[in-house]
Amino acid sequence: MSLRRSLPPSEPAKPGPDPASVAAVQKMLRDAKNEREGRKANVVRRIMTHPVRAVPVAFLMVILIGAALLMLPASRTDPDADAFMDSLFTSVSAVCVTGLVTVDTATFWTPFGHVVILALIQVGGFGIMTLATLLALLVRKSIGLRGQLVAQTETHTLNLGDVRAVLLRVAKIMLTFEAATAAILTARFWIAYDQNPGTALWHGIFHAISAFNNAGFSVYSNNLIGFAEDPWIITPICLAIIAGGLGFPVIIQLTRGETKPRNWTVHLRLTIYGTLFLLIAGMALFAAFEWNRNETLGPLSLTGKILGSFAGSVFPRTAGFNSIDYGAAAPETLMVTNILMFIGGGSAGTAGGIKITTFLVLGFAIWNEVRGRDQVTIAHRSVSSSSQRQALSVALLGVAAVVIGTMLLLIFTDYSLEKVLFESISAFGTVGMSTGITYNLPPSAEWVLMALMFTGRIGTVTLASALALSARPRLYRLPEERPIIG
């Protein structure tokens, strides 16, 4: 008998996985990963290439680049100072061509910092999308359809085929006005104020670019108060502000020789006549409220009072310069200034606000409704219902932005309603005027003003459209019903 235990039979080896199946699973995983990455890339591509969405994204990128440059020690006179919020706020204000500042531009920033601010103003005024498309045109001598759509969104041109010519003409117009203004200011700074040629040239260029782009930045600590009675400084700056605020389509039509009012388009009529009315009415009201006040126009000569009244009507049209101390202005003057700041200048220009055309289209809509007319007519032309809805949307969104901004400032600060309302409208309208409270605002209030400046620069409708992922037209109509209005 054998003493060895019988061992159980060994189990047969299990077959390994089928190589074909492994390859199929790996391929499926790779495809799933590629699909996820593709969806992410498509989302980014949609954001960056869609004309409406690309505008705010591009502005944000330039703001961040500008803030990074201003944070460099070479940009500040005190390299050791913690300047994150000041740099970011100044970058937002410059790119959005506003002019609100939390520090003294003349003393806080070095000449390199001033150059950075000036570059941000020029880029912001010309438009990020317009500038990028123009550079592509000059370098490659060609432009794609998507690039034309992007440029069309920024310049508000109506004919897709005209975008290329419009971009070049915009650049020529901008450089021409800035060069002419800079030449006059440089000569005046050199001859009348004993500045050396280099300093006079730099100050002339800086204020010319700041004026045409409706930015309001100045390299003087008291802005333009020291030149309140000098017509050779105030007048060229005011004319540059008006030109930049008219809007490029208006300037282009006028330079084409369309000087006869009967041949003007509705947009041209609204912009020109609206600008003249606001300038005259603003000047008259400013003079009436400030003419004899010792805190503002009272001590000035007759020429100074006229210049001050004219500037008081022009500067609130989103320029932001000041030749008087608005902290000492009468409440009536601040109210008139609030109205001018909220309306702003012309469309497709360097001005902010809800724009003159928006304001007047709503005014004509009310007038025609009072008269019982179904159509809104201006200069024997009917205004489309879509234009009326757009004007109403812009105005209401602007009111909402100002109201929310004012409420937040009241929460975050101890200033009066009068002062924070002025500050909110100035930020939203990309004006840059202040009653003097900007320097002392807490960081939370600064974030509110930056949001208002950004919203006001890219436009309320553009911002709302950028946030919308897609537009799906409704293929049916619902039954109509008329709620009780009023």
Side-chain angles (χ1 to χ4, degrees):
M1 182 177 179
S2 172
L3 298 175
R4 292 180 301 173
R5 297 179 59 185
S6 58
L7 298 174
S10 59
E11 296 181 0
K14 294 181 179 180
D18 185 9
S21 301
V22 174
V25 172
Q26 290 176 345
K27 182 178 183 302
M28 184 173 62
L29 293 175
R30 285 197 303 269
D31 291 343
K33 181 180 179 181
N34 292 336
E35 184 179 356
R36 289 195 302 269
E37 293 178 351
R39 283 198 298 265
K40 294 179 181 178
N42 288 335
V43 171
V44 176
R45 191 179 300 111
R46 276 193 311 173
I47 294 175
M48 293 303 297
T49 57
H50 193 284
V52 176
R53 298 186 185 98
V55 170
V57 172
F59 269 81
L60 280 173
M61 293 176 62
V62 175
I63 286 171
L64 294 177
I65 294 173
L69 291 174
L70 291 176
M71 288 182 65
L72 295 175
S75 298
R76 291 169 281 123
T77 54
D78 184 5
D80 298 329
D82 184 11
F84 170 73
M85 284 299 296
D86 294 328
S87 300
L88 182 61
F89 191 95
T90 302
S91 181
V92 173
S93 183
V95 174
C96 297
V97 291
T98 303
L100 284 175
V101 292
T102 55
V103 294
D104 184 2
T105 304
T107 58
F108 188 85
W109 306 108
T110 63
F112 175 77
H114 291 158
V115 172
V116 172
I117 292 173
L118 192 63
L120 295 176
I121 292 172
Q122 188 75 298
V123 171
F126 191 45
I128 308 300
M129 296 297 96
T130 305
L131 181 61
T133 306
L134 180 59
L135 290 177
L137 173 63
L138 296 177
V139 173
R140 299 198 316 245
K141 303 297 183 181
S142 64
I143 183 172
L145 178 62
R146 189 178 298 277
Q148 294 189 36
L149 288 171
V150 171
Q152 188 181 23
T153 300
E154 179 65 23
T155 58
H156 296 259
T157 52
L158 301 179
N159 189 345
L160 187 63
D162 290 341
V163 172
R164 185 177 299 183
V166 166
L167 295 180
L168 293 174
R169 191 170 287 119
V170 165
K172 293 178 181 178
I173 289 172
M174 175 173 279
L175 293 176
T176 299
F177 275 100
E178 290 175 350
T181 307
I184 298 173
L185 295 179
T186 298
R188 187 61 175 174
F189 287 138
W190 183 16
I191 297 173
Y193 296 95
D194 296 328
Q195 296 182 0
N196 62 66
T199 302
L201 178 62
W202 168 241
H203 288 185
I205 293 175
F206 190 98
H207 289 88
I209 294 177
S210 183
F212 184 80
N213 289 285
N214 280 227
F217 278 88
S218 175
V219 292
Y220 297 104
S221 297
N222 60 354
N223 208 273
L224 300 182
I225 293 178
F227 308 102
E229 299 186 80
D230 191 341
W232 291 99
I233 299 294
I234 300 297
T235 304
I237 288 178
C238 287
L239 294 178
I241 292 169
I242 295 171
L246 286 176
F248 297 126
V250 170
I251 298 177
I252 290 173
Q253 290 184 55
L254 292 178
T255 54
R256 286 176 176 173
E258 298 178 10
T259 55
K260 296 181 179 180
R262 66 172 179 269
N263 297 329
W264 286 358
T265 63
V266 172
H267 176 78
L268 186 59
R269 288 172 182 264
L270 291 176
T271 305
I272 295 296
Y273 292 145
T275 297
L276 290 175
F277 171 76
L278 291 178
L279 287 176
I280 295 172
M283 182 176 178
L285 291 173
F286 192 94
F289 297 143
E290 300 293 335
W291 191 268
N292 293 319
R293 296 189 77 246
N294 293 329
E295 297 86 352
T296 54
L297 298 182
L300 303 181
S301 63
L302 178 62
T303 301
K305 290 182 178 181
I306 295 175
L307 282 176
S309 301
F310 181 53
S313 180
V314 174
F315 291 165
R317 306 291 308 289
T318 82
F321 289 107
N322 63 286
S323 58
I324 68 163
D325 180 9
Y326 276 87
E332 300 86 350
T333 303
L334 296 182
M335 188 61 201
V336 172
T337 305
N338 282 335
I339 296 173
L340 295 177
M341 291 193 299
F342 187 74
I343 296 174
S347 299
T350 57
I354 64 171
K355 305 299 190 301
I356 297 173
T357 48
T358 302
F359 175 74
L360 291 181
V361 165
L362 291 177
F364 275 100
I366 295 173
W367 175 244
N368 282 271
E369 185 67 26
V370 170
R371 300 176 68 185
R373 293 184 176 181
D374 294 334
Q375 282 188 326
V376 177
T377 57
I378 303 175
H380 306 291
R381 295 289 188 274
S382 63
V383 179
S384 65
S385 58
S386 62
S387 296
Q388 298 175 50
R389 291 194 302 270
Q390 185 179 8
L392 183 61
S393 300
V394 169
L396 290 181
L397 287 173
V399 171
V402 170
V403 169
I404 294 173
T406 302
M407 290 179 61
L408 291 174
L409 289 179
L410 286 173
I411 294 172
F412 296 144
T413 68
D414 297 326
Y415 293 107
S416 65
L417 174 61
E418 181 182 82
K419 291 183 180 296
V420 297
L421 177 62
F422 189 92
E423 207 82 5
S424 296
I425 297 177
S426 178
F428 172 77
T430 66
V431 182
M433 286 184 169
S434 176
T435 56
I437 69 174
T438 316
Y439 290 97
N440 302 316
L441 292 177
S444 55
E446 293 179 7
W447 282 107
V448 173
L449 292 183
M450 284 190 281
L452 285 173
M453 288 189 287
F454 185 77
T455 303
R457 178 60 184 98
I458 66 175
T460 50
V461 171
T462 302
L463 180 61
S465 301
L467 296 177
L469 295 178
S470 61
R472 297 182 178 89
R474 180 172 290 178
L475 302 179
Y476 57 90
R477 296 182 65 88
L478 296 172
E480 292 186 0
E481 186 174 342
R482 297 191 65 178
I484 299 176
I485 304 297

